[in-house]
Amino acid sequence: MFDGIFSDYTLRIVSLGAALLGITSGALGSFAVLRKQSLLGDSISHAALPGIVLAFMITGSKNSFILLIGAAIAGWIATTFILSIIRNTRITSDGAQGTILSVFFGLGLLLLTYVQSKPNAAQAGLDKYLFGQAAALLPEDIKSSAILGGLSIIIMIIIWKELKLLTFDPDFGQSLGFSSKLIDYLITALIVIAIVTGLQTVGVILMSSMLIAPAAAARQWTNKLGSMVILSSIFGAIAGIFGAVISCIIPNLPTGPSIVLSLTAIVILSLLFAPDRGVISSMIKRYNNRFDFSLQKLLLTLWNLEKKHGGEKRAHDSLTISFTQPGIKNVNTALLALEQKGWVKKDPKGNWLLSEEGRIKAINIEKGETL
Amino acid sequence: MDKNWAIDAEDITIAYHDKPVIWDVDMQVPKGVMMAIIGPNGAGKSTLIKGLLGLIPLTAGDVKVFGESYKKVRKKVGYVPQRTAVDWDFPTTVLDVVLMGTYGRLGWVKRPRKEEIILAHEAIEKVGMSEFANRQISQLSGGQQQRVFLARALTQNAEIYLMDEPFQGVDATTERAIISILKELKNSGKTVIAVHHDLQTVPDYFDWVTLLNVRRIAGGPVKEVFTKENLRKAYGGRISFLEDKSE
């Protein structure tokens, strides 16, 4: 089936475009996430809308290159506003981003509605920038996003050391003489480029998830910055291809939401199943810890019972033991687990008592040692 | 400007918006001393350190380091920020963080090479963290994080070390380890300046002290200025419980 799909010319273009976009936005998005600027991408992409519509109103052209230059300029202006509000006022960064996002997007919608109310049909298709339409991608679009994306990634690699330093510890980096302001503007410019190249495919509303979701998913699987960036790119590419192809096969399905839903699946899988940081792995760890603690407690109880009986090695039936262990739901399971470790044994009547080894262990636990 | 001062700060004022945090502070630090900056919470201790390093703009005043502007002698200054200033869940290792101390010398774009890696390993060994060199930093205890920051500063191979609360939230062993490294630095002629909270250990650890509470209350050799009277001036009524220990 997929042979058939990928031999289709449009689909080849679309999946190539979406893959390129996923790689670029996944890589740069890692830094947005680590710098705790997840909302910044959202503000920039929403702010691009008035830029697109204004570019159309001024030039009358629907050439994607011209419209995207409008988007980039508007995105850049919004970013400058946000950064200067953060630096110069008491408004916090989320407040500044939220404000600029809604002001620019509101303006964009206003302009779009105005343009669409005009009788001529020239404006038709501008609304594809809201949710994206990968099927409308042209080979030239792919070429320019390949060049822009490639350049962004090359710049990222060149300033890798500085990016890492100023993301982790901006004060220290600045004390060494690296300008955090310069890096702020550089990484933001790169993010603007990634966003602009994705607007045709994903649209202004959902573009920011192309930056954030792959990075958030990648962080779950690795503790190294380099692997995180690479993995994030791979996730972005996979979701990009998958979503774009689905939206091309099923008519009238906008590309943005399809890609974002594919990304969501990757994020959910990562949140659940990643080793160490995943929900399931930490649940297992917590359960194991709790079980270990209850075993320790049980061992101590048996030891205390023995001490109460003046050191007489008397066996107790599991019911008696369970009365002393209100915290343990199933004393038999715990006893069997201890038996497996060789710390308790059953006498011929089926009652339980400590083994020599178990006694030593219990004494050690009493002294503060853990299993 | 006198080149004998490691740091010569004149009339420094630093304000966040309209609220002055540091007001008209003069501070001269001779070369080779180990100096504590003490004062109550909100006295502007961290702000002063950041102001000296040019991390926050001075509203007024001037700072000279070895008689020069900070920018010119940057490589002679090592910095240990507050441990809590960074996100320790950042995806990187101990070695990688310590290597960052060599970035200043490397400058833009150039990557650390073998020489820098050896330097970083030496610093990690010095702070007793060798077995943790490849450990993910989110797995470190508070004391270990502080050791990592100290190791990073050691790779800077500086003449002056500015440290923001190097003993905050560390265990007793780490505190002893850190203080012995700081004393070693001092003995090799380096100047150490640290924001410090525990008044009881000031006379043991330091030979020079600046008392700060927005303004400079006093500054000089510990024996001369670490007095009941000055402490009361800096801390107001909150000092009573420490009085018998301060002399």
Side-chain angles (χ1 to χ4, degrees), chain A residues 157 161-162 164 219 277, chain B residues 70 89 96 107 109 111 152:
Chain A
I157 292 170
K161 169 176 123 252
E162 289 75 18
K164 179 164 66 179
R219 180 67 188 93
R277 301 174 76 94
Chain B
Y70 173 70
D89 195 36
D96 216 27
V109 181
R111 302 288 168 94
R152 182 175 70 172

Side-chain angles (χ1 to χ4, degrees), chain B residues 5-204:
Chain B
W5 299 121
I7 286 188
D8 182 0
E10 272 185 38
D11 307 330
I12 297 184
T13 296
I14 299 172
Y16 289 123
H17 302 291
D18 51 351
K19 191 178 160 230
V21 183
I22 291 288
W23 185 258
D24 204 20
V25 167
D26 273 309
M27 188 175 83
Q28 279 83 32
V29 186
K31 279 183 197 171
V33 300
M34 208 162 138
M35 184 181 95
I37 299 177
I38 58 173
N41 288 333
K45 304 179 293 288
S46 296
T47 307
L48 178 61
I49 295 262
K50 286 185 179 171
L52 296 176
L53 288 164
L55 297 177
I56 338 181
L58 305 178
T59 313
D62 187 39
V63 178
K64 293 277 184 253
V65 181
F66 296 121
E68 305 266 8
S69 80
Y70 173 70
K71 278 181 187 159
K72 280 195 185 160
V73 289
R74 217 189 271 287
K75 293 195 175 101
K76 291 184 181 170
V77 183
Y79 176 40
V80 178
Q82 267 187 46
R83 178 168 61 81
T84 47
V86 304
D87 174 12
W88 288 93
D89 195 36
F90 190 83
T92 192
T93 60
V94 168
L95 176 63
D96 216 27
V97 172
V98 175
L99 265 175
M100 289 177 185
T102 67
Y103 285 10
R105 201 170 328 132
L106 289 167
W108 283 87
V109 181
K110 241 179 107 187
R111 302 288 168 94
R113 308 180 75 123
K114 217 174 174 183
E115 195 188 330
E116 282 78 27
I117 293 171
I118 292 171
L119 208 63
H121 274 298
E122 283 169 3
I124 292 171
E125 195 181 340
K126 202 154 200 183
V127 300
M129 291 281 290
S130 288
E131 51 183 311
F132 299 98
N134 293 313
R135 185 70 67 89
Q136 159 64 18
I137 56 169
S138 62
Q139 295 165 6
L140 303 176
S141 70
Q144 289 170 334
Q145 292 172 351
Q146 197 64 61
R147 286 168 191 240
V148 170
F149 264 12
L150 181 60
R152 182 175 70 172
L154 291 177
T155 64
Q156 290 184 267
N157 212 349
E159 292 299 315
I160 305 179
Y161 286 92
L162 292 169
M163 309 192 173
D164 204 341
E165 305 207 19
F167 303 113
Q168 186 204 36
V170 306
D171 52 287
T173 326
T174 300
E175 182 157 336
R176 275 195 301 274
I178 292 177
I179 201 68
S180 86
I181 291 170
L182 298 194
K183 287 196 165 154
E184 209 177 292
L185 287 173
K186 179 195 143 64
N187 290 338
S188 59
K190 319 264 184 185
T191 311
V192 176
I193 298 172
V195 172
H196 195 53
H197 261 302
D198 183 5
L199 295 181
Q200 301 180 26
T201 52
V202 168
D204 293 340

Side-chain angles (χ1 to χ4, degrees), chain A residues 99-110:
Chain A
T99 310
I100 294 297
L101 181 156
S102 33
V103 168
F104 273 69
F105 189 59
L107 182 67
L109 283 180
L110 195 88

Side-chain angles (χ1 to χ4, degrees), chain A residues 144-274:
Chain A
S144 53
S145 76
I147 292 170
L148 287 173
L151 274 177
S152 310
I153 289 181
I154 290 171
I155 294 175
M156 180 192 84
I157 292 170
I158 291 175
I159 57 167
W160 182 263
K161 169 176 123 252
E162 289 75 18
L163 267 178
K164 179 164 66 179
L165 172 67
L166 291 165
T167 303
F168 173 64
D169 193 346
D171 274 354
F172 182 72
Q174 229 176 323
S175 84
L176 296 179
F178 296 100
S179 161
S180 72
K181 212 170 168 178
L182 179 64
I183 290 286
D184 269 359
Y185 279 106
L186 256 175
I187 186 75
T188 315
L190 296 182
I191 289 173
V192 170
I193 291 173
I195 286 174
V196 165
T197 58
L199 289 182
Q200 274 180 290
T201 316
V202 184
V204 297
I205 296 179
L206 294 170
M207 181 53 211
S208 71
S209 48
M210 283 302 281
L211 291 165
I212 307 313
R219 180 67 188 93
Q220 289 291 104
W221 298 94
T222 173
N223 277 325
K224 284 211 173 82
L225 182 61
S227 345
M228 177 178 164
V229 169
I230 293 170
L231 202 58
S232 177
S233 288
I234 294 172
F235 286 162
I238 292 173
I241 294 172
F242 201 75
V245 168
I246 290 177
S247 87
C248 279
I249 295 171
I250 303 171
N252 295 325
L253 194 66
T255 320
S258 322
I259 293 181
V260 169
L261 286 179
S262 320
L263 269 177
T264 311
I266 295 178
V267 171
I268 290 174
L269 290 176
S270 305
L271 285 177
L272 287 179
F273 296 109

Side-chain angles (χ1 to χ4, degrees), chain A residues 50-78:
Chain A
I52 292 170
V53 187
L54 275 173
F56 168 76
M57 288 167 78
I58 293 168
T59 64
S61 157
K62 275 199 298 179
N63 178 305
S64 64
F65 187 69
I66 290 172
L67 298 186
L68 290 181
I69 286 186
I73 293 171
W76 180 248
I77 292 173

